[in-house]
Amino acid sequence: MTATVPSPDVLRAPLVVEFPFTRSLGPVQSAFLTGLREGLVLGVKTSDGTVMVPPVEYDPRTAEEIRELVEVGATGTVTTWAWNGLPRPNQPLDTPFAWVLVTLDGADTALLHALDAPGPESVRTGMRVRVRWAAERTGAITDIACFEPYEGPAGPGAAPHAGVFAEPVTGIVAPARLDYTYSPGRAQTAYISGLSEQKTIGERCPSCHKVYVPPRGACPTCGVATTDQVEVGPAGTVTTYCIVNIKARGLDIEVPYVYAHIALDGAGLALHGRIGGIPYDQVRMGLRVEPVWTEGGRYPDHYRPTGEPDADYDAYKELI
Amino acid sequence: MPRTSRHARDVAVVAFAQSDHLRRTDELSEVEMVMPVLHQVLARTGLKAGEIGFTCSGSSDYLAGRAFSFTMTLDGVGAWPPISESHVEMDGAWALYEAWVKIQTGEADTALVYSYGKSSPGPVRDVLTRQLDPYYLAPLWPDSVALAALQAQALIDAGETDEPSLAAIGARSRAAAEANPHAQLRGPVPQGDYQVRPLHTGDCPPIGDGAAAVILAAGDTARRLCERPAWITGIDHRIEAHGLGLRDLTDSPSTRTAAERAGVFDAPVDTAELHAPFSSQEVVLRKVLGLGDGVAVNPSGGALAANPVMAAGLIRIGEAAARIHRGESDRAVAHATSGPCLQQNLVAVLEGDPA
Ligand SMILES: [Zn+2]
């Protein structure tokens, strides 16, 4: 096995991606999930009589729209299984369990879920199981807490169901969170490390000699690695700007303020930053600015006028 | 001329390059990982980035953990002056399909196809659950190994394999990978404990980072760029119903249909590069592709030796083509998959000119 020890020189930080996907339901999925909330399992019957559980809205073989709902049993038969000795976060049970595909009594297709069983020896294909309902049900697949072994008579089979409920579930919110460890790579590590010393480090393309800041490791024009590190700035020139009139949530800056493109001296392209220390309506193209660092800040808080004369337009027109 | 081409234009893989596939590459951003591979594949043809007619890439924002992540690697292809470019949020094999279509339309004579994935930053088993049906499956977080294990048990129940046979597939793959300097796992690897029973560690792919690139070219351009082009005489991809419980997991009708349409069964193949991240999936693919003992299956080591997500399928096409380039194969089948339990499958037939 290849070594898994991370390189000590590279920066890394936790990166959490979290999102609550809000999804609307069609008539069939709505009936199915509302049925789960009410403690019963619905499927759909295709034109050839196949009962699909969980239900789909279109026959995967013919693409015909399917709307004929039926109620099936909460008991069924395992068609295949896999023993999960080390449950992962968010899975239905936090103790070892079996993943199972279960064909419920009255259904012709199988539903994926978890089976609570004492160990792999107690699970086999063909074993009988029944739904264990969640204590609190909201209209989601997790209203089935899991399956459990069941020694009893088979259910009565599929029975017609109108699929009509009071207060049907019309949507689900599916929260998801993924935890990453982000590493910015060689070029951006050098840039971020430079900022910690209040230096702005760009990288020069060996082919076209343009200095990229922040560097991403490649010259997008030449498609080659940028390798030579170059300190740019600290002063620079406003190449263009805009006046922000809408306050962003959580941002402690009075509006209006100016956000500008700033070509640091020696850089081959402009980066962007806020302009402070001057009334917003006096900012102009060609204004000479320098970074202002706050105590413990990891990047310039804003840029302020240096007091030098404005740069000549020809000096920065290539960088707009 | 390729022997069995049935398309408007003769299109070939003329060059292939790949990174060394590693457990982690923290010191490299995605573009830093991809760029050397792009330079290698261009160098093999002598083409400059600006001479490529069409560029298409495959990758996944969910692996990267951020939106529009593919735009970062565009810096590595020299996208100025503006180039004709596209991206698929899929394995690069599907990017190759798009590029092949582009050449068939006559809008390009050459194409650069690349793909990459870094699985090291996130928990890839959990990340891949986000590609599942969001109503019935994703809320249960069934991970990629669990879903493959359900398929493996179905095969065992059907009498089509058993645990020792599965272990032998992993062992054979990693032994083959000893000749592949890019592979992540080479040589003997302990079969290990159950990950999700019946699959052991040795039945599962390594988790790692990597990239690959190929260059496609049409007709005489291909002959000029490559001594023995690997002509794509057929290519097709198919998908099956989304619901796992609707499918017979011991079969892969989508692979069979794609193979028929690609012409796999028109003549014998001598090489098969199969994208089977789990040992049990090779059992299914061998069956539906009708591969006999005389066929060299995954001489590169396959996905059990290196499985950079989003690149492993493109690598199968590249490895098959490289064998034709080297004269080690005359007619090869390459397969790529995406989704749980072989849900989506792409099949290509590659042929070299007769000696
Ligand atoms: Zn350059």
Side-chain angles (χ1 to χ4, degrees), chain A residues 205-210 212 219-224 226:
Chain A
C205 172
S207 174
C208 69
H209 308 298
K210 194 166 176 172
Y212 288 91
C219 174
T221 303
C222 306
V224 299
T226 54

Side-chain angles (χ1 to χ4, degrees), chain B residues 32-294:
Chain B
E32 288 166 336
M33 180 174 76
V34 167
M35 208 162 28
V37 177
L38 298 174
H39 293 172
Q40 282 166 30
V41 80
L42 287 166
R44 271 163 208 175
T45 58
L47 288 173
K48 302 266 182 293
E51 296 170 316
I52 295 288
F54 181 61
T55 297
C56 197
S57 61
S59 65
S60 169
D61 283 354
Y62 278 79
L63 285 179
R66 62 177 176 184
F68 294 97
S69 59
F70 76 95
T71 59
M72 295 297 169
T73 57
L74 275 179
D75 286 351
V77 301
W80 180 267
I83 61 171
S84 173
E85 183 270 342
S86 184
H87 173 260
V88 297
E89 190 78 8
M90 287 193 78
D91 189 288
W94 277 264
L96 181 142
Y97 186 87
E98 182 176 334
W100 176 85
V101 169
K102 191 85 170 179
I103 295 176
Q104 288 297 338
T105 65
E107 289 189 30
D109 290 329
T110 54
L112 170 63
V113 179
Y114 67 96
S115 65
Y116 61 92
K118 288 184 73 162
S119 295
S120 60
V124 69
R125 285 171 66 179
D126 302 327
V127 169
L128 291 176
T129 66
R130 301 301 94 190
Q131 71 183 328
L132 301 171
D133 163 7
Y135 304 98
Y136 303 153
L137 288 183
L140 305 175
W141 293 78
D143 61 280
S144 48
V145 180
L147 296 173
L150 287 166
Q151 186 172 33
Q153 185 63 43
L155 287 160
I156 291 170
D157 287 337
E160 298 201 24
T161 192
D162 52 31
E163 290 187 27
S165 303
L166 294 178
I169 290 171
R172 191 208 77 238
S173 299
R174 283 145 191 161
E178 292 202 77
N180 176 357
H182 302 288
Q184 187 175 338
L185 296 182
R186 296 194 292 270
V189 169
Q191 184 63 357
D193 296 331
Y194 283 120
Q195 291 298 297
V196 180
R197 182 171 171 167
L199 294 180
H200 294 75
T201 309
D203 296 308
C204 302
I207 295 170
D209 303 348
V214 307
I215 290 177
L216 301 182
D220 288 341
T221 307
R223 291 182 188 91
R224 179 168 58 79
L225 296 174
C226 181
E227 199 171 321
R228 192 175 194 239
W231 301 104
I232 302 171
T233 57
I235 185 168
D236 197 282
H237 63 99
R238 300 281 151 168
I239 182 170
E240 320 202 353
H242 206 90
L244 284 173
L246 300 174
R247 291 166 49 190
D248 173 359
L249 296 179
T250 68
D251 196 8
S252 183
S254 56
T255 301
R256 185 181 293 110
T257 303
E260 283 167 2
R261 301 293 178 112
V264 173
F265 307 122
D266 296 354
V269 297
D270 53 44
T271 297
E273 279 285 343
L274 308 178
H275 186 194
F278 297 92
S279 57
S280 42
Q281 294 175 343
E282 185 179 304
V283 176
V284 178
L285 293 171
R286 277 179 179 268
K287 178 176 67 174
V288 296
L289 293 171
L291 302 177
D293 290 341

Side-chain angles (χ1 to χ4, degrees), chain A residues 194-247:
Chain A
L195 288 176
S196 68
E197 298 166 32
Q198 303 196 351
K199 289 179 186 168
T200 302
I201 308 285
E203 284 192 357
R204 180 178 281 126
C205 172
S207 174
C208 69
H209 308 298
K210 194 166 176 172
V211 174
Y212 288 91
V213 52
R216 290 207 299 257
C219 174
T221 303
C222 306
V224 299
T226 54
T227 45
D228 308 337
Q229 292 182 358
V230 181
E231 185 177 346
V232 298
T237 301
V238 172
T239 62
T240 186
Y241 63 96
C242 65
I243 300 166
V244 180
N245 286 289
I246 298 169
K247 200 171 168 64

Side-chain angles (χ1 to χ4, degrees), chain A residues 58-268:
Chain A
Y58 295 89
D59 188 325
R61 282 164 294 197
T62 63
E64 268 183 303
E65 187 173 352
I66 323 174
R67 290 291 178 271
E68 188 181 345
L69 294 164
V70 292
E71 182 179 351
V72 300
T75 53
T77 304
V78 170
T79 61
T80 187
W81 62 284
W83 186 256
N84 189 26
L86 295 166
R88 301 177 72 79
N90 305 306
Q91 292 182 343
L93 298 167
D94 56 14
T95 51
F97 68 89
W99 291 105
V100 282
L101 279 167
V102 176
T103 300
L104 291 170
D105 295 334
D108 298 302
T109 67
L111 172 83
L112 180 92
H113 220 293
L115 169 68
D116 188 8
E121 313 73 30
S122 62
V123 185
R124 60 184 171 79
T125 297
M127 78 181 284
R128 297 281 298 156
V129 296
R130 73 175 162 204
V131 170
R132 180 190 296 166
W133 295 103
E136 284 183 33
R137 300 197 295 272
T138 60
I141 190 67
T142 45
D143 287 354
I144 297 175
C146 63
F147 283 87
E148 59 192 20
Y150 168 70
E151 310 278 350
H161 193 286
V164 178
F165 298 94
E167 296 178 53
V169 177
T170 58
I172 59 167
V173 178
R177 173 183 165 134
L178 296 166
D179 284 83
Y180 299 85
T181 301
Y182 181 69
S183 293
R186 177 198 59 78
Q188 294 179 98
T189 288
Y191 174 74
I192 295 167
S193 300
L195 288 176
S196 68
E197 298 166 32
Q198 303 196 351
K199 289 179 186 168
T200 302
I201 308 285
E203 284 192 357
R204 180 178 281 126
C205 172
S207 174
C208 69
H209 308 298
K210 194 166 176 172
V211 174
Y212 288 91
V213 52
R216 290 207 299 257
C219 174
T221 303
C222 306
V224 299
T226 54
T227 45
D228 308 337
Q229 292 182 358
V230 181
E231 185 177 346
V232 298
T237 301
V238 172
T239 62
T240 186
Y241 63 96
C242 65
I243 300 166
V244 180
N245 286 289
I246 298 169
K247 200 171 168 64
R249 190 166 50 173
L251 194 64
D252 188 25
I253 298 171
E254 284 305 308
V255 292
Y257 65 87
V258 170
Y259 210 71
H261 275 194
I262 301 154
L264 295 181
D265 295 345

